[in-house]
Amino acid sequence: MSFDECRAAAATQNEFEALAPEQFAFVRRSAEDAEPRFHTKPAGYMHDVLYRFATNRGSVICFFIIVALFLYAFIGPLISPYKISDRDGYYAYVSPRHALFEGRGWWDGGHKMELNLQTYQYYRNIPGAIIRDYGVHERLVANRRQQWHSVRIDTYAKVGWVKMLLSEREYEAAKAWESGEHRLFWPVIDQKKVRNPAYQNDMNAWFATDERGIAQLDAAGNAMDIFVRDDASPDGYAYYTLRMNGTQYEVRVLYREWYYYTHGAYPCFWFGADASGCDIFTRLAHGARLSLCLSLIVSAINLCLGTVIGALEGYYGGLFDLLFERVKDIIYEVPTQVTMTLFQLYLAQKLGPLVALFFAFVFYGWISMSSVVRAQFYRFKGQDYVNASRTLGAKDSRLIFRHILPNAIGFIITVSVLSIPGVIFSEASLSYLGIVDLDSPTMASVGTMLNAAKDALSSYPHAVFFPALFISILLVCFNEFGNGLRDAFNPTLRGVTDE
């Protein structure tokens, strides 16, 4: 600063000191000149995580789908009219049916088929067996043109009539219940008049046929019956019962009406039935509940074991870390299928297949979790804030659980969630391969249902479709949900795939 500038500054200072206090006045600023005030509360870490997760539409949708699948698994058996132990061999592999879709041509218990003349006549003479007749067309078979009927068969009604042995009390009670609307008992067939050997014991072959198996018609165009009749009776009375040993009655019953008599409603399986005649909707819900509960419990135990072991490894290191790493290497090199099979062969005999499967999953599951936690502890234990706490006298337990572990919680939660579909898929694979058998009257699994229906894939695809659809949606949604959590807890890993 020059001499003149210094003199001017001194003069200005003297003038400022000479001013009186009343000569000063406050400057009135407008609202535009004021600095903006923050009216929102500061966002914490979890709030920021939830915000980032909510912006991921795919993960949010998958989360709600997972919630819907959980509700189906736990509420489905409560709203279903059937129990897991209900079996009816007459309705094996019947098609899905729901009352809302009756007469719509799909989901009505029907199945489209191509029938020759003999088979067409067979089903036409069963009440309600043919839902819709699409017409006749010709087909060349063995260099001969034959007529084939395209029809939609009711898989429930095609059961038709069955033979039953009833006690006198059962027969009288059913006869008293029978009304004009619900007819249970029908005339008994004279098996000596059945000319087709394939229908010798079939209660639906009540009409006379020729040598080719084609129905013989009367003058009115109706099929001629072959019922057991009383020749002495002037009107040829047909017998509805055959007495056996004086204590039982052999009767011919229309099974659809008998089912209504014993259950109070006609059969209606929403997802169809399996090979044993069990309701797939109910058994799939029980299987889903088993898979979800098993995966959640296994993931929780693996989370606890893996976190403790991984934290000790990463924090203390040294000989402890070296020892556990070698133990993990040995366990990891043992083939999974071999271990699972050994658990089922020896442990399942004492504790049951489900408990043996649980121990097998825990035997392997904690390894990946401990490795993740170990890596995070090696990453954070040398940070300045940890060293500062250690200098101030913080104990090891405080450093582990208050300073290091909270910073790794994002990775831990992500790995735990992603391990759930792994357990579900492993259980389904082991059940499908027959290594684990979880099928019983009181228990079911998705993999067991797939294994039981694999031979019927071409003929009855619904028996495989619904279990496969459930596990596919569950696995895809869990993986997408886990990736969304990973991106929310650690945005720097967004778009990174685990190798």
Side-chain angles (χ1 to χ4, degrees), residues 82-95:
Y82 304 98
K83 300 178 181 179
I84 187 175
S85 58
D86 291 342
R87 298 170 181 261
D88 195 325
Y90 289 109
Y91 290 130
Y93 288 129
V94 293
S95 301

Side-chain angles (χ1 to χ4, degrees), residues 345-364:
L345 288 176
Y346 297 101
L347 190 60
Q349 296 179 356
K350 299 180 179 179
L351 302 178
L354 184 61
V355 178
L357 185 64
F358 167 77
F359 280 109
F361 282 137
V362 174
F363 182 75
Y364 280 101

Side-chain angles (χ1 to χ4, degrees), residues 155-184:
T155 56
Y156 296 79
K158 75 172 186 178
V159 176
W161 292 275
V162 298
K163 181 174 69 174
M164 287 189 176
L165 300 178
L166 304 178
S167 65
E168 184 176 1
R169 178 180 298 179
E170 292 173 339
Y171 174 75
E172 294 298 336
K175 194 66 177 177
W177 177 89
E178 189 179 30
S179 62
E181 183 181 357
H182 302 283
R183 182 180 177 185
L184 294 176

Side-chain angles (χ1 to χ4, degrees), residues 12 87 105 128 174 208 283 349-350 356 365 389 429 433-434 476:
T12 303
R87 298 170 181 261
R283 289 188 66 82
Q349 296 179 356
K350 299 180 179 179
S389 298
S429 300
L433 295 174
V476 170

Side-chain angles (χ1 to χ4, degrees), residues 66 96 107 131 204 217 225 230-231 255 294 298 300 321 350 356 360 373 395 397:
I66 292 173
W107 214 314
I131 301 175
N204 295 316
L217 307 179
D225 66 78
D230 187 1
D231 297 333
Y255 191 74
L294 178 65
V298 169
D321 184 22
K350 299 180 179 179
V373 177
K395 297 181 180 180
S397 59

Side-chain angles (χ1 to χ4, degrees), residues 414-430:
T414 302
V415 174
S416 299
V417 172
L418 290 176
S419 66
I420 294 175
V423 175
I424 296 174
F425 183 75
S426 298
E427 180 272 323
S429 300
L430 293 171

Side-chain angles (χ1 to χ4, degrees), residues 29-46:
R29 293 184 177 181
S30 63
E32 298 179 354
D33 298 332
E35 294 183 357
R37 297 180 62 184
F38 293 99
H39 298 282
T40 59
K41 296 181 180 180
Y45 174 67
M46 292 305 299

Side-chain angles (χ1 to χ4, degrees), residues 106-138:
W106 63 287
W107 214 314
D108 58 351
H111 180 64
K112 191 173 182 180
M113 299 177 65
E114 301 288 333
L115 307 177
N116 57 20
L117 179 59
Q118 293 86 339
T119 310
Y120 173 75
Q121 291 179 338
Y122 173 84
Y123 284 118
R124 190 182 62 178
N125 289 296
I126 299 176
I130 297 180
I131 301 175
R132 183 177 301 176
D133 193 337
Y134 297 100
V136 184
H137 63 276
E138 291 187 349

